[in-house]
Each structure stands twice: as structure tokens, then as C-alpha cells.
PDB file of all heavy atoms in Angstrom:
ATOM      1  N   PHE M   1       0.841  -1.192   0.000  1.00  0.00           N
ATOM      2  CA  PHE M   1       0.000   0.000   0.000  1.00  0.00           C
ATOM      3  C   PHE M   1       0.877   1.243   0.000  1.00  0.00           C
ATOM      4  O   PHE M   1       2.034   1.208   0.424  1.00  0.00           O
ATOM      5  CB  PHE M   1      -0.885   0.040   1.257  1.00  0.00           C
ATOM      6  CG  PHE M   1      -1.746  -1.162   1.463  1.00  0.00           C
ATOM      7  CD1 PHE M   1      -1.242  -2.299   2.085  1.00  0.00           C
ATOM      8  CD2 PHE M   1      -3.066  -1.163   1.040  1.00  0.00           C
ATOM      9  CE1 PHE M   1      -2.042  -3.417   2.288  1.00  0.00           C
ATOM     10  CE2 PHE M   1      -3.871  -2.276   1.237  1.00  0.00           C
ATOM     11  CZ  PHE M   1      -3.364  -3.406   1.862  1.00  0.00           C
ATOM     12  N   LYS M   2       0.332   2.364  -0.457  1.00  0.00           N
ATOM     13  CA  LYS M   2       0.990   3.647  -0.264  1.00  0.00           C
ATOM     14  C   LYS M   2       0.802   4.076   1.191  1.00  0.00           C
ATOM     15  O   LYS M   2      -0.259   3.850   1.781  1.00  0.00           O
ATOM     16  CB  LYS M   2       0.394   4.707  -1.179  1.00  0.00           C
ATOM     17  CG  LYS M   2       0.602   4.457  -2.660  1.00  0.00           C
ATOM     18  CD  LYS M   2      -0.045   5.567  -3.486  1.00  0.00           C
ATOM     19  CE  LYS M   2       0.098   5.318  -4.975  1.00  0.00           C
ATOM     20  NZ  LYS M   2      -0.554   6.382  -5.777  1.00  0.00           N
ATOM     21  N   GLN M   3       1.813   4.704   1.768  1.00  0.00           N
ATOM     22  CA  GLN M   3       1.655   5.265   3.105  1.00  0.00           C
ATOM     23  C   GLN M   3       0.639   6.403   3.092  1.00  0.00           C
ATOM     24  O   GLN M   3      -0.078   6.619   4.069  1.00  0.00           O
ATOM     25  CB  GLN M   3       2.997   5.775   3.629  1.00  0.00           C
ATOM     26  CG  GLN M   3       4.027   4.675   3.860  1.00  0.00           C
ATOM     27  CD  GLN M   3       5.357   5.222   4.319  1.00  0.00           C
ATOM     28  OE1 GLN M   3       5.440   6.300   4.928  1.00  0.00           O
ATOM     29  NE2 GLN M   3       6.433   4.502   4.039  1.00  0.00           N
ATOM     30  N   ASN M   4       0.590   7.116   1.982  1.00  0.00           N
ATOM     31  CA  ASN M   4      -0.334   8.236   1.816  1.00  0.00           C
ATOM     32  C   ASN M   4      -0.933   8.127   0.432  1.00  0.00           C
ATOM     33  O   ASN M   4      -0.240   8.327  -0.567  1.00  0.00           O
ATOM     34  CB  ASN M   4       0.421   9.561   1.989  1.00  0.00           C
ATOM     35  CG  ASN M   4      -0.463  10.781   1.800  1.00  0.00           C
ATOM     36  OD1 ASN M   4      -1.607  10.680   1.364  1.00  0.00           O
ATOM     37  ND2 ASN M   4       0.076  11.954   2.124  1.00  0.00           N
ATOM     38  N   ASN M   5      -2.213   7.803   0.335  1.00  0.00           N
ATOM     39  CA  ASN M   5      -2.826   7.586  -0.974  1.00  0.00           C
ATOM     40  C   ASN M   5      -2.821   8.839  -1.837  1.00  0.00           C
ATOM     41  O   ASN M   5      -2.913   8.751  -3.059  1.00  0.00           O
ATOM     42  CB  ASN M   5      -4.258   7.077  -0.815  1.00  0.00           C
ATOM     43  CG  ASN M   5      -4.304   5.612  -0.420  1.00  0.00           C
ATOM     44  OD1 ASN M   5      -3.537   4.800  -0.940  1.00  0.00           O
ATOM     45  ND2 ASN M   5      -5.185   5.264   0.504  1.00  0.00           N
ATOM     46  N   GLY M   6      -2.699  10.011  -1.199  1.00  0.00           N
ATOM     47  CA  GLY M   6      -2.672  11.254  -1.961  1.00  0.00           C
ATOM     48  C   GLY M   6      -1.294  11.662  -2.422  1.00  0.00           C
ATOM     49  O   GLY M   6      -1.157  12.622  -3.195  1.00  0.00           O
ATOM     50  N   ASP M   7      -0.242  10.965  -1.960  1.00  0.00           N
ATOM     51  CA  ASP M   7       1.128  11.349  -2.293  1.00  0.00           C
ATOM     52  C   ASP M   7       2.017  10.122  -2.190  1.00  0.00           C
ATOM     53  O   ASP M   7       2.350   9.676  -1.092  1.00  0.00           O
ATOM     54  CB  ASP M   7       1.610  12.451  -1.334  1.00  0.00           C
ATOM     55  CG  ASP M   7       3.042  12.893  -1.602  1.00  0.00           C
ATOM     56  OD1 ASP M   7       3.628  12.446  -2.602  1.00  0.00           O
ATOM     57  OD2 ASP M   7       3.566  13.672  -0.794  1.00  0.00           O
ATOM     58  N   THR M   8       2.416   9.591  -3.354  1.00  0.00           N
ATOM     59  CA  THR M   8       3.243   8.384  -3.377  1.00  0.00           C
ATOM     60  C   THR M   8       4.549   8.577  -2.608  1.00  0.00           C
ATOM     61  O   THR M   8       5.075   7.631  -2.023  1.00  0.00           O
ATOM     62  CB  THR M   8       3.562   7.988  -4.834  1.00  0.00           C
ATOM     63  OG1 THR M   8       2.326   7.821  -5.542  1.00  0.00           O
ATOM     64  CG2 THR M   8       4.359   6.694  -4.901  1.00  0.00           C
ATOM     65  N   PHE M   9       5.057   9.806  -2.584  1.00  0.00           N
ATOM     66  CA  PHE M   9       6.333  10.093  -1.920  1.00  0.00           C
ATOM     67  C   PHE M   9       6.132  10.543  -0.471  1.00  0.00           C
ATOM     68  O   PHE M   9       7.101  10.705   0.268  1.00  0.00           O
ATOM     69  CB  PHE M   9       7.109  11.145  -2.706  1.00  0.00           C
ATOM     70  CG  PHE M   9       7.364  10.747  -4.131  1.00  0.00           C
ATOM     71  CD1 PHE M   9       6.528  11.171  -5.153  1.00  0.00           C
ATOM     72  CD2 PHE M   9       8.422   9.917  -4.456  1.00  0.00           C
ATOM     73  CE1 PHE M   9       6.741  10.785  -6.471  1.00  0.00           C
ATOM     74  CE2 PHE M   9       8.652   9.516  -5.764  1.00  0.00           C
ATOM     75  CZ  PHE M   9       7.811   9.957  -6.773  1.00  0.00           C
ATOM     76  N   ASN M  10       4.885  10.765  -0.067  1.00  0.00           N
ATOM     77  CA  ASN M  10       4.520  11.122   1.304  1.00  0.00           C
ATOM     78  C   ASN M  10       5.386  12.263   1.845  1.00  0.00           C
ATOM     79  O   ASN M  10       5.886  12.235   2.972  1.00  0.00           O
ATOM     80  CB  ASN M  10       4.634   9.903   2.227  1.00  0.00           C
ATOM     81  CG  ASN M  10       3.851  10.091   3.523  1.00  0.00           C
ATOM     82  OD1 ASN M  10       2.892  10.866   3.579  1.00  0.00           O
ATOM     83  ND2 ASN M  10       4.237   9.379   4.564  1.00  0.00           N
ATOM     84  N   GLY M  11       5.578  13.282   1.014  1.00  0.00           N
ATOM     85  CA  GLY M  11       6.349  14.446   1.431  1.00  0.00           C
ATOM     86  C   GLY M  11       7.843  14.318   1.245  1.00  0.00           C
ATOM     87  O   GLY M  11       8.585  15.270   1.494  1.00  0.00           O
ATOM     88  N   GLY M  12       8.322  13.158   0.817  1.00  0.00           N
ATOM     89  CA  GLY M  12       9.755  12.950   0.623  1.00  0.00           C
ATOM     90  C   GLY M  12      10.242  13.542  -0.685  1.00  0.00           C
ATOM     91  O   GLY M  12       9.460  14.028  -1.514  1.00  0.00           O
ATOM     92  N   GLY M  13      11.565  13.510  -0.883  1.00  0.00           N
ATOM     93  CA  GLY M  13      12.156  14.117  -2.055  1.00  0.00           C
ATOM     94  C   GLY M  13      11.738  13.432  -3.347  1.00  0.00           C
ATOM     95  O   GLY M  13      11.714  12.203  -3.437  1.00  0.00           O
ATOM     96  N   ASN M  14      11.422  14.230  -4.356  1.00  0.00           N
ATOM     97  CA  ASN M  14      11.088  13.700  -5.671  1.00  0.00           C
ATOM     98  C   ASN M  14      11.173  14.818  -6.691  1.00  0.00           C
ATOM     99  O   ASN M  14      11.169  15.993  -6.347  1.00  0.00           O
ATOM    100  CB  ASN M  14       9.698  13.054  -5.681  1.00  0.00           C
ATOM    101  CG  ASN M  14       8.584  14.055  -5.448  1.00  0.00           C
ATOM    102  OD1 ASN M  14       8.021  14.600  -6.397  1.00  0.00           O
ATOM    103  ND2 ASN M  14       8.261  14.313  -4.182  1.00  0.00           N
ATOM    104  N   LEU M  15      11.232  14.435  -7.949  1.00  0.00           N
ATOM    105  CA  LEU M  15      11.409  15.411  -9.017  1.00  0.00           C
ATOM    106  C   LEU M  15      10.907  14.827 -10.323  1.00  0.00           C
ATOM    107  O   LEU M  15      11.084  13.632 -10.589  1.00  0.00           O
ATOM    108  CB  LEU M  15      12.902  15.762  -9.151  1.00  0.00           C
ATOM    109  CG  LEU M  15      13.290  16.996  -9.960  1.00  0.00           C
ATOM    110  CD1 LEU M  15      12.755  18.263  -9.284  1.00  0.00           C
ATOM    111  CD2 LEU M  15      14.815  17.083 -10.072  1.00  0.00           C
ATOM    112  N   HIS M  16      10.283  15.673 -11.140  1.00  0.00           N
ATOM    113  CA  HIS M  16       9.843  15.247 -12.456  1.00  0.00           C
ATOM    114  C   HIS M  16      11.037  15.205 -13.398  1.00  0.00           C
ATOM    115  O   HIS M  16      11.824  16.151 -13.476  1.00  0.00           O
ATOM    116  CB  HIS M  16       8.788  16.207 -13.009  1.00  0.00           C
ATOM    117  CG  HIS M  16       8.308  15.851 -14.365  1.00  0.00           C
ATOM    118  ND1 HIS M  16       8.809  16.423 -15.512  1.00  0.00           N
ATOM    119  CD2 HIS M  16       7.381  14.945 -14.780  1.00  0.00           C
ATOM    120  CE1 HIS M  16       8.203  15.909 -16.567  1.00  0.00           C
ATOM    121  NE2 HIS M  16       7.341  15.010 -16.152  1.00  0.00           N
ATOM    122  N   VAL M  17      11.202  14.072 -14.113  1.00  0.00           N
ATOM    123  CA  VAL M  17      12.321  13.918 -15.038  1.00  0.00           C
ATOM    124  C   VAL M  17      11.833  13.327 -16.355  1.00  0.00           C
ATOM    125  O   VAL M  17      10.808  12.639 -16.411  1.00  0.00           O
ATOM    126  CB  VAL M  17      13.433  13.018 -14.457  1.00  0.00           C
ATOM    127  CG1 VAL M  17      14.025  13.627 -13.198  1.00  0.00           C
ATOM    128  CG2 VAL M  17      12.919  11.608 -14.192  1.00  0.00           C
ATOM    129  N   ASN M  18      12.587  13.619 -17.406  1.00  0.00           N
ATOM    130  CA  ASN M  18      12.399  12.981 -18.709  1.00  0.00           C
ATOM    131  C   ASN M  18      13.700  12.274 -19.058  1.00  0.00           C
ATOM    132  O   ASN M  18      14.772  12.884 -19.009  1.00  0.00           O
ATOM    133  CB  ASN M  18      12.072  14.015 -19.786  1.00  0.00           C
ATOM    134  CG  ASN M  18      10.690  14.616 -19.613  1.00  0.00           C
ATOM    135  OD1 ASN M  18       9.686  13.955 -19.850  1.00  0.00           O
ATOM    136  ND2 ASN M  18      10.638  15.866 -19.192  1.00  0.00           N
ATOM    137  N   VAL M  19      13.608  11.003 -19.403  1.00  0.00           N
ATOM    138  CA  VAL M  19      14.811  10.239 -19.723  1.00  0.00           C
ATOM    139  C   VAL M  19      14.663   9.559 -21.081  1.00  0.00           C
ATOM    140  O   VAL M  19      13.555   9.412 -21.602  1.00  0.00           O
ATOM    141  CB  VAL M  19      15.114   9.178 -18.634  1.00  0.00           C
ATOM    142  CG1 VAL M  19      15.392   9.845 -17.293  1.00  0.00           C
ATOM    143  CG2 VAL M  19      13.964   8.181 -18.502  1.00  0.00           C
ATOM    144  N   ALA M  20      15.809   9.152 -21.624  1.00  0.00           N
ATOM    145  CA  ALA M  20      15.819   8.497 -22.927  1.00  0.00           C
ATOM    146  C   ALA M  20      16.593   7.197 -22.851  1.00  0.00           C
ATOM    147  O   ALA M  20      17.561   7.073 -22.098  1.00  0.00           O
ATOM    148  CB  ALA M  20      16.451   9.415 -23.973  1.00  0.00           C
ATOM    149  N   SER M  21      16.168   6.244 -23.675  1.00  0.00           N
ATOM    150  CA  SER M  21      16.788   4.904 -23.817  1.00  0.00           C
ATOM    151  C   SER M  21      16.760   4.104 -22.521  1.00  0.00           C
ATOM    152  O   SER M  21      17.808   3.820 -21.963  1.00  0.00           O
ATOM    153  CB  SER M  21      18.219   5.031 -24.354  1.00  0.00           C
ATOM    154  OG  SER M  21      18.211   5.548 -25.649  1.00  0.00           O
ATOM    155  N   PRO M  22      15.625   3.707 -22.032  1.00  0.00           N
ATOM    156  CA  PRO M  22      14.296   3.863 -22.608  1.00  0.00           C
ATOM    157  C   PRO M  22      13.696   5.245 -22.327  1.00  0.00           C
ATOM    158  O   PRO M  22      14.078   5.906 -21.361  1.00  0.00           O
ATOM    159  CB  PRO M  22      13.483   2.776 -21.898  1.00  0.00           C
ATOM    160  CG  PRO M  22      14.143   2.638 -20.568  1.00  0.00           C
ATOM    161  CD  PRO M  22      15.608   2.859 -20.817  1.00  0.00           C
ATOM    162  N   THR M  23      12.761   5.627 -23.172  1.00  0.00           N
ATOM    163  CA  THR M  23      12.106   6.926 -23.034  1.00  0.00           C
ATOM    164  C   THR M  23      11.023   6.853 -21.980  1.00  0.00           C
ATOM    165  O   THR M  23      10.198   5.941 -21.988  1.00  0.00           O
ATOM    166  CB  THR M  23      11.501   7.362 -24.380  1.00  0.00           C
ATOM    167  OG1 THR M  23      12.545   7.457 -25.349  1.00  0.00           O
ATOM    168  CG2 THR M  23      10.797   8.703 -24.246  1.00  0.00           C
ATOM    169  N   ALA M  24      11.055   7.803 -21.061  1.00  0.00           N
ATOM    170  CA  ALA M  24      10.044   7.834 -20.002  1.00  0.00           C
ATOM    171  C   ALA M  24       9.909   9.245 -19.470  1.00  0.00           C
ATOM    172  O   ALA M  24      10.871  10.009 -19.420  1.00  0.00           O
ATOM    173  CB  ALA M  24      10.420   6.881 -18.867  1.00  0.00           C
ATOM    174  N   ASN M  25       8.707   9.574 -19.078  1.00  0.00           N
ATOM    175  CA  ASN M  25       8.367  10.822 -18.416  1.00  0.00           C
ATOM    176  C   ASN M  25       7.891  10.417 -17.030  1.00  0.00           C
ATOM    177  O   ASN M  25       6.832   9.813 -16.885  1.00  0.00           O
ATOM    178  CB  ASN M  25       7.254  11.525 -19.212  1.00  0.00           C
ATOM    179  CG  ASN M  25       6.898  12.878 -18.665  1.00  0.00           C
ATOM    180  OD1 ASN M  25       7.046  13.135 -17.478  1.00  0.00           O
ATOM    181  ND2 ASN M  25       6.395  13.751 -19.522  1.00  0.00           N
ATOM    182  N   ALA M  26       8.688  10.700 -16.002  1.00  0.00           N
ATOM    183  CA  ALA M  26       8.424  10.065 -14.709  1.00  0.00           C
ATOM    184  C   ALA M  26       8.727  10.987 -13.543  1.00  0.00           C
ATOM    185  O   ALA M  26       9.432  11.990 -13.684  1.00  0.00           O
ATOM    186  CB  ALA M  26       9.273   8.795 -14.586  1.00  0.00           C
ATOM    187  N   MET M  27       8.196  10.621 -12.397  1.00  0.00           N
ATOM    188  CA  MET M  27       8.580  11.219 -11.136  1.00  0.00           C
ATOM    189  C   MET M  27       9.638  10.316 -10.514  1.00  0.00           C
ATOM    190  O   MET M  27       9.425   9.116 -10.355  1.00  0.00           O
ATOM    191  CB  MET M  27       7.379  11.361 -10.202  1.00  0.00           C
ATOM    192  CG  MET M  27       6.303  12.301 -10.716  1.00  0.00           C
ATOM    193  SD  MET M  27       6.883  14.004 -10.946  1.00  0.00           S
ATOM    194  CE  MET M  27       7.284  14.468  -9.250  1.00  0.00           C
ATOM    195  N   ALA M  28      10.782  10.894 -10.172  1.00  0.00           N
ATOM    196  CA  ALA M  28      11.897  10.119  -9.632  1.00  0.00           C
ATOM    197  C   ALA M  28      12.073  10.423  -8.151  1.00  0.00           C
ATOM    198  O   ALA M  28      12.072  11.584  -7.739  1.00  0.00           O
ATOM    199  CB  ALA M  28      13.183  10.458 -10.383  1.00  0.00           C
ATOM    200  N   GLY M  29      12.231   9.376  -7.365  1.00  0.00           N
ATOM    201  CA  GLY M  29      12.428   9.517  -5.927  1.00  0.00           C
ATOM    202  C   GLY M  29      12.027   8.241  -5.218  1.00  0.00           C
ATOM    203  O   GLY M  29      11.570   7.279  -5.852  1.00  0.00           O
ATOM    204  N   GLY M  30      12.203   8.214  -3.917  1.00  0.00           N
ATOM    205  CA  GLY M  30      11.863   7.036  -3.141  1.00  0.00           C
ATOM    206  C   GLY M  30      10.378   6.981  -2.824  1.00  0.00           C
ATOM    207  O   GLY M  30       9.816   7.924  -2.266  1.00  0.00           O
ATOM    208  N   PHE M  31       9.732   5.863  -3.164  1.00  0.00           N
ATOM    209  CA  PHE M  31       8.307   5.671  -2.877  1.00  0.00           C
ATOM    210  C   PHE M  31       8.118   5.312  -1.404  1.00  0.00           C
ATOM    211  O   PHE M  31       8.796   4.411  -0.891  1.00  0.00           O
ATOM    212  CB  PHE M  31       7.717   4.544  -3.728  1.00  0.00           C
ATOM    213  CG  PHE M  31       7.850   4.744  -5.212  1.00  0.00           C
ATOM    214  CD1 PHE M  31       8.295   3.703  -6.019  1.00  0.00           C
ATOM    215  CD2 PHE M  31       7.525   5.946  -5.809  1.00  0.00           C
ATOM    216  CE1 PHE M  31       8.411   3.850  -7.390  1.00  0.00           C
ATOM    217  CE2 PHE M  31       7.641   6.115  -7.185  1.00  0.00           C
ATOM    218  CZ  PHE M  31       8.086   5.067  -7.979  1.00  0.00           C
ATOM    219  N   ARG M  32       7.164   5.963  -0.743  1.00  0.00           N
ATOM    220  CA  ARG M  32       6.853   5.622   0.649  1.00  0.00           C
ATOM    221  C   ARG M  32       5.699   4.631   0.655  1.00  0.00           C
ATOM    222  O   ARG M  32       4.560   4.983   0.366  1.00  0.00           O
ATOM    223  CB  ARG M  32       6.457   6.871   1.446  1.00  0.00           C
ATOM    224  CG  ARG M  32       7.600   7.595   2.131  1.00  0.00           C
ATOM    225  CD  ARG M  32       8.682   8.056   1.208  1.00  0.00           C
ATOM    226  NE  ARG M  32       9.636   8.918   1.902  1.00  0.00           N
ATOM    227  CZ  ARG M  32      10.648   9.506   1.309  1.00  0.00           C
ATOM    228  NH1 ARG M  32      10.862   9.324   0.022  1.00  0.00           N
ATOM    229  NH2 ARG M  32      11.480  10.268   1.992  1.00  0.00           N
ATOM    230  N   LEU M  33       6.024   3.373   0.957  1.00  0.00           N
ATOM    231  CA  LEU M  33       5.043   2.295   0.921  1.00  0.00           C
ATOM    232  C   LEU M  33       4.953   1.617   2.282  1.00  0.00           C
ATOM    233  O   LEU M  33       5.718   1.908   3.198  1.00  0.00           O
ATOM    234  CB  LEU M  33       5.421   1.272  -0.158  1.00  0.00           C
ATOM    235  CG  LEU M  33       5.630   1.803  -1.580  1.00  0.00           C
ATOM    236  CD1 LEU M  33       6.004   0.659  -2.527  1.00  0.00           C
ATOM    237  CD2 LEU M  33       4.405   2.545  -2.075  1.00  0.00           C
ATOM    238  N   LYS M  34       4.015   0.683   2.404  1.00  0.00           N
ATOM    239  CA  LYS M  34       3.884  -0.127   3.609  1.00  0.00           C
ATOM    240  C   LYS M  34       3.275  -1.459   3.229  1.00  0.00           C
ATOM    241  O   LYS M  34       2.629  -1.605   2.176  1.00  0.00           O
ATOM    242  CB  LYS M  34       3.012   0.578   4.654  1.00  0.00           C
ATOM    243  CG  LYS M  34       1.580   0.862   4.199  1.00  0.00           C
ATOM    244  CD  LYS M  34       0.795   1.604   5.279  1.00  0.00           C
ATOM    245  CE  LYS M  34      -0.643   1.885   4.818  1.00  0.00           C
ATOM    246  NZ  LYS M  34      -1.421   2.584   5.879  1.00  0.00           N
ATOM    247  N   ASP M  35       3.493  -2.447   4.099  1.00  0.00           N
ATOM    248  CA  ASP M  35       2.896  -3.755   3.846  1.00  0.00           C
ATOM    249  C   ASP M  35       1.582  -3.885   4.605  1.00  0.00           C
ATOM    250  O   ASP M  35       1.116  -2.929   5.237  1.00  0.00           O
ATOM    251  CB  ASP M  35       3.871  -4.882   4.191  1.00  0.00           C
ATOM    252  CG  ASP M  35       4.262  -4.903   5.663  1.00  0.00           C
ATOM    253  OD1 ASP M  35       3.530  -4.340   6.518  1.00  0.00           O
ATOM    254  OD2 ASP M  35       5.312  -5.501   5.984  1.00  0.00           O
ATOM    255  N   GLY M  36       0.998  -5.071   4.559  1.00  0.00           N
ATOM    256  CA  GLY M  36      -0.296  -5.277   5.197  1.00  0.00           C
ATOM    257  C   GLY M  36      -0.274  -5.194   6.701  1.00  0.00           C
ATOM    258  O   GLY M  36      -1.338  -5.076   7.336  1.00  0.00           O
ATOM    259  N   ASP M  37       0.912  -5.241   7.309  1.00  0.00           N
ATOM    260  CA  ASP M  37       1.052  -5.091   8.760  1.00  0.00           C
ATOM    261  C   ASP M  37       1.439  -3.678   9.155  1.00  0.00           C
ATOM    262  O   ASP M  37       1.859  -3.438  10.293  1.00  0.00           O
ATOM    263  CB  ASP M  37       2.099  -6.077   9.290  1.00  0.00           C
ATOM    264  CG  ASP M  37       1.672  -7.519   9.122  1.00  0.00           C
ATOM    265  OD1 ASP M  37       0.466  -7.806   9.295  1.00  0.00           O
ATOM    266  OD2 ASP M  37       2.534  -8.367   8.799  1.00  0.00           O
ATOM    267  N   ASP M  38       1.308  -2.742   8.235  1.00  0.00           N
ATOM    268  CA  ASP M  38       1.648  -1.326   8.439  1.00  0.00           C
ATOM    269  C   ASP M  38       3.133  -1.089   8.677  1.00  0.00           C
ATOM    270  O   ASP M  38       3.518  -0.072   9.270  1.00  0.00           O
ATOM    271  CB  ASP M  38       0.830  -0.718   9.593  1.00  0.00           C
ATOM    272  CG  ASP M  38      -0.568  -0.311   9.160  1.00  0.00           C
ATOM    273  OD1 ASP M  38      -0.774  -0.103   7.950  1.00  0.00           O
ATOM    274  OD2 ASP M  38      -1.446  -0.187  10.032  1.00  0.00           O
ATOM    275  N   ASN M  39       3.983  -1.996   8.220  1.00  0.00           N
ATOM    276  CA  ASN M  39       5.426  -1.762   8.273  1.00  0.00           C
ATOM    277  C   ASN M  39       5.808  -0.844   7.126  1.00  0.00           C
ATOM    278  O   ASN M  39       5.668  -1.202   5.954  1.00  0.00           O
ATOM    279  CB  ASN M  39       6.186  -3.081   8.164  1.00  0.00           C
ATOM    280  CG  ASN M  39       5.920  -4.001   9.337  1.00  0.00           C
ATOM    281  OD1 ASN M  39       6.049  -3.603  10.487  1.00  0.00           O
ATOM    282  ND2 ASN M  39       5.532  -5.238   9.051  1.00  0.00           N
ATOM    283  N   ALA M  40       6.282   0.356   7.443  1.00  0.00           N
ATOM    284  CA  ALA M  40       6.591   1.360   6.428  1.00  0.00           C
ATOM    285  C   ALA M  40       8.020   1.192   5.919  1.00  0.00           C
ATOM    286  O   ALA M  40       8.922   0.804   6.662  1.00  0.00           O
ATOM    287  CB  ALA M  40       6.404   2.759   7.006  1.00  0.00           C
ATOM    288  N   PHE M  41       8.228   1.487   4.647  1.00  0.00           N
ATOM    289  CA  PHE M  41       9.557   1.409   4.055  1.00  0.00           C
ATOM    290  C   PHE M  41       9.617   2.299   2.820  1.00  0.00           C
ATOM    291  O   PHE M  41       8.588   2.768   2.318  1.00  0.00           O
ATOM    292  CB  PHE M  41       9.924  -0.036   3.692  1.00  0.00           C
ATOM    293  CG  PHE M  41       8.986  -0.690   2.709  1.00  0.00           C
ATOM    294  CD1 PHE M  41       9.249  -0.664   1.339  1.00  0.00           C
ATOM    295  CD2 PHE M  41       7.836  -1.344   3.149  1.00  0.00           C
ATOM    296  CE1 PHE M  41       8.392  -1.269   0.440  1.00  0.00           C
ATOM    297  CE2 PHE M  41       6.969  -1.955   2.247  1.00  0.00           C
ATOM    298  CZ  PHE M  41       7.252  -1.918   0.887  1.00  0.00           C
ATOM    299  N   VAL M  42      10.840   2.542   2.350  1.00  0.00           N
ATOM    300  CA  VAL M  42      11.061   3.299   1.113  1.00  0.00           C
ATOM    301  C   VAL M  42      11.451   2.314   0.020  1.00  0.00           C
ATOM    302  O   VAL M  42      12.338   1.480   0.215  1.00  0.00           O
ATOM    303  CB  VAL M  42      12.168   4.356   1.294  1.00  0.00           C
ATOM    304  CG1 VAL M  42      12.429   5.091  -0.020  1.00  0.00           C
ATOM    305  CG2 VAL M  42      11.784   5.348   2.393  1.00  0.00           C
ATOM    306  N   ALA M  43      10.778   2.401  -1.108  1.00  0.00           N
ATOM    307  CA  ALA M  43      11.054   1.510  -2.238  1.00  0.00           C
ATOM    308  C   ALA M  43      11.526   2.327  -3.431  1.00  0.00           C
ATOM    309  O   ALA M  43      11.161   3.498  -3.589  1.00  0.00           O
ATOM    310  CB  ALA M  43       9.808   0.711  -2.609  1.00  0.00           C
ATOM    311  N   TRP M  44      12.329   1.670  -4.279  1.00  0.00           N
ATOM    312  CA  TRP M  44      12.905   2.323  -5.448  1.00  0.00           C
ATOM    313  C   TRP M  44      12.552   1.541  -6.701  1.00  0.00           C
ATOM    314  O   TRP M  44      12.487   0.308  -6.685  1.00  0.00           O
ATOM    315  CB  TRP M  44      14.422   2.424  -5.298  1.00  0.00           C
ATOM    316  CG  TRP M  44      14.805   3.231  -4.099  1.00  0.00           C
ATOM    317  CD1 TRP M  44      14.983   2.785  -2.826  1.00  0.00           C
ATOM    318  CD2 TRP M  44      15.003   4.650  -4.052  1.00  0.00           C
ATOM    319  NE1 TRP M  44      15.293   3.825  -1.980  1.00  0.00           N
ATOM    320  CE2 TRP M  44      15.320   4.982  -2.700  1.00  0.00           C
ATOM    321  CE3 TRP M  44      14.975   5.662  -5.004  1.00  0.00           C
ATOM    322  CZ2 TRP M  44      15.575   6.294  -2.304  1.00  0.00           C
ATOM    323  CZ3 TRP M  44      15.229   6.960  -4.611  1.00  0.00           C
ATOM    324  CH2 TRP M  44      15.532   7.274  -3.274  1.00  0.00           C
ATOM    325  N   CYS M  45      12.330   2.273  -7.778  1.00  0.00           N
ATOM    326  CA  CYS M  45      11.919   1.660  -9.046  1.00  0.00           C
ATOM    327  C   CYS M  45      13.094   0.975  -9.726  1.00  0.00           C
ATOM    328  O   CYS M  45      14.139   1.581  -9.957  1.00  0.00           O
ATOM    329  CB  CYS M  45      11.339   2.738  -9.958  1.00  0.00           C
ATOM    330  SG  CYS M  45      11.075   2.196 -11.655  1.00  0.00           S
ATOM    331  N   LEU M  46      12.899  -0.298 -10.084  1.00  0.00           N
ATOM    332  CA  LEU M  46      13.853  -1.029 -10.923  1.00  0.00           C
ATOM    333  C   LEU M  46      13.198  -1.444 -12.235  1.00  0.00           C
ATOM    334  O   LEU M  46      13.588  -2.436 -12.846  1.00  0.00           O
ATOM    335  CB  LEU M  46      14.375  -2.259 -10.182  1.00  0.00           C
ATOM    336  CG  LEU M  46      15.211  -2.016  -8.921  1.00  0.00           C
ATOM    337  CD1 LEU M  46      15.719  -3.333  -8.353  1.00  0.00           C
ATOM    338  CD2 LEU M  46      16.356  -1.060  -9.183  1.00  0.00           C
ATOM    339  N   ASP M  47      12.227  -0.661 -12.673  1.00  0.00           N
ATOM    340  CA  ASP M  47      11.406  -1.084 -13.811  1.00  0.00           C
ATOM    341  C   ASP M  47      10.732   0.142 -14.419  1.00  0.00           C
ATOM    342  O   ASP M  47       9.539   0.359 -14.222  1.00  0.00           O
ATOM    343  CB  ASP M  47      10.378  -2.102 -13.309  1.00  0.00           C
ATOM    344  CG  ASP M  47       9.392  -2.545 -14.367  1.00  0.00           C
ATOM    345  OD1 ASP M  47       9.675  -2.380 -15.566  1.00  0.00           O
ATOM    346  OD2 ASP M  47       8.321  -3.060 -13.985  1.00  0.00           O
TER     347      ASP M  47
END
């Protein structure tokens, strides 16, 4: 789950970026997530 459904980064650092090879228009930064037991963690995109 997201820690905050209204903000994937939950106030943490992030920035809009455009990259090439592969081409993507994305928000870059650490995602603030949690598991079903409410254990919070920061996740990073590998995809």
C-alpha cells in the first residue's frame, strides 16, 4: 500500500524527469510504501 494515498512520496524528495533509452516521463524519488502489517519502508523503481 501507499503510506499516503494522496502522495506516493509522502512528502519525501522527488522530481519530475524525462529520460531516454528507454524513453520515459516520470517522477523520480523514493516511494513511501507499507505492507499489510503497516510496516513502512522506502522503495525504489527497478522497472
Side-chain angles (χ1 to χ4, degrees):
F1 304 84
K2 295 179 182 179
Q3 294 177 27
N4 179 350
N5 284 319
D7 179 7
T8 304
F9 303 96
N10 199 25
N14 66 93
L15 195 65
H16 179 263
V17 298
N18 290 288
V19 297
S21 295
T23 300
N25 184 332
M27 296 299 296
F31 302 134
R32 270 58 171 183
L33 305 180
K34 61 182 180 179
D35 62 21
D37 295 322
D38 279 338
N39 296 308
F41 59 93
V42 177
W44 299 88
C45 169
L46 295 183
D47 176 19

